[in-house]
Amino acid sequence: MRLVTAMPTRVDHPLDLVDESLRHLPYATGSADRIMFWDVSTSSNKPHCLIVGPTGGGKTSVIRTLLTEAARRGIPFVGVDPKMIELDGLEGYPGCGAIIYDALRAAMFVRALHTEMMARNAYIHQMKIEGSQLPLMIAVLDEFFILSGKWQRLAKTGDDETKALLKELDPLGAWADLAVLARSAGIRLLLGVQRPDASLFGGAPVTRVTTSAPVFRSATSRRTAR
Ligand SMILES: Nc1ncnc2c1ncn2[C@@H]1O[C@H](COP(=O)(O)OP(=O)(O)O)[C@@H](O)[C@H]1O
Ligand SMILES: [Mg+2]
C-alpha cells in the first residue's frame, strides 16, 4: 500500500515558543482550575493520551488544544474524525499531515501508521540509535468507538472487495500493536472516547483526561453552540 502523502516529520509554525517546555503539552482543566500537561517526551511514563467524556463534554476541545500546542512545538499530527465535523477545522493547520473522515481510509491509515512504526523500529535497530532521535509525531483518533463500530459494520455488510480489504488491513489488530509498541518509535497516540475501556491501550499507562457532562457550560459557549 502506498500513502498519498508521506507521514509528516516537521512543522513550519509562525508562532515562536517562548519559555515553554518542548515536550509538555498544556491543557486547562475546568474543575481543578489549573494547567495540566501531557508529557510526550521519551522519558514520559504516560506517553499516550486518552480523553474520556460524554458527548458535549469537551473531548474534541481538549484534542484541539493539545494538537495546536504540539504544532507550536514542532510536533506534526495526523487525525481521524469519523464524525466529520470535529477536526475539519485543523485541515491545513501547520503540522497537520491530513484529517481522515472515511472509515475505510481510516483503516488504511491505522495500517500505514503500523507500517511506519515497524519501519522506525527497524531503522533504530539498524542505525543503533535511540528512539528519541527520531522526530515525534501524534496520531489522533477522535470518537474511537464510532470508528471501530463502522469497521465492524463494514466487515459484515460491505461489498466483497471492502470486506477483503478490511480483513487484510485488520485495523483493530494494528491498533493493538500500536498501543503497546508505538511509544519507542516516537509515535504518540491521542484518543477521544465516550466511555472508558481499559483494553484500548492494552493496559499500558496513559495520560488520562476526563471531561465532565456539559453542566458547567458558560453563557458564552451556549451562545456559540446555537
Ligand atoms: N471547558 C469548557 N468550557 C466551556 N465550554 C466548553 C469547554 N470545553 C468545550 N466547550 C464547548 O462545549 C461544546 C462541546 O465541546 P466538544 O469539545 O465538541 O465536546 P465533545 O467532543 O466531548 O462532544 C463546544 O461548543 C465547546 O466549545
Ligand atoms: Mg467531539
Side-chain angles (χ1 to χ4, degrees):
M1 181 175 55
R2 275 185 51 234
L3 289 175
V4 180
T5 51
M7 295 280 180
T9 53
R10 52 166 291 169
V11 182
D12 293 310
H13 198 282
L15 289 180
D16 280 340
L17 199 68
V18 182
D19 234 17
E20 285 180 82
S21 165
L22 272 176
R23 297 290 175 257
H24 285 182
L25 312 185
Y27 59 89
T29 53
S31 52
D33 194 22
R34 61 191 174 121
I35 305 280
M36 304 289 285
F37 295 95
W38 174 24
D39 178 2
V40 293
S41 68
T42 323
S43 57
S44 173
N45 57 2
K46 294 175 179 175
H48 305 303
C49 183
L50 177 67
I51 304 178
V52 187
T55 297
K59 298 183 296 295
T60 305
S61 304
V62 179
I63 288 176
R64 285 201 209 102
T65 304
L66 290 170
L67 292 180
T68 47
E69 291 295 337
R72 288 183 66 217
R73 288 159 171 76
I75 306 168
F77 60 91
V78 178
V80 176
D81 170 15
K83 274 169 89 174
M84 307 180 100
I85 47 167
E86 303 285 271
L87 302 179
D88 53 341
L90 286 169
E91 254 184 283
Y93 194 85
C96 176
I99 302 293
I100 299 142
Y101 306 99
D102 174 72
L104 201 53
R105 277 176 174 263
M108 291 177 193
F109 166 65
V110 173
R111 179 51 63 186
L113 193 65
H114 188 276
T115 307
E116 168 85 10
M117 173 183 78
M118 300 309 280
R120 282 175 174 229
N121 281 338
Y123 187 78
I124 292 168
H125 174 71
Q126 268 179 17
M127 306 300 283
K128 305 211 181 315
I129 57 168
E130 296 287 322
S132 56
Q133 290 171 260
L134 292 180
L136 275 181
M137 69 164 288
I138 296 176
V140 47
L141 280 79
D142 200 359
E143 299 291 3
F144 187 83
F145 287 114
I146 292 184
L147 184 65
S148 58
K150 284 188 177 184
W151 287 337
Q152 275 155 18
R153 277 193 298 283
L154 275 178
K156 275 193 198 135
T157 61
D159 56 33
D160 288 351
E161 204 182 328
T162 305
K163 282 183 188 165
L165 183 58
L166 258 182
K167 199 168 173 207
E168 192 188 335
L169 293 169
D170 181 22
L172 288 174
W175 177 265
D177 283 356
L178 280 160
V180 287
L181 299 171
R183 170 199 193 136
S184 51
I187 298 173
R188 300 290 176 264
L189 306 169
L190 173 57
L191 224 64
V193 292
Q194 288 187 11
R195 56 187 162 81
D197 184 328
S199 69
L200 276 174
F201 280 97
V206 293
T207 301
R208 192 185 161 103
V209 184
T210 310
T211 62
S212 44
V215 285
F216 57 89
R217 189 67 32 79
S218 69
T220 333
S221 66
R222 269 203 302 274
R223 270 204 302 280
T224 13
R226 231 182 273 145

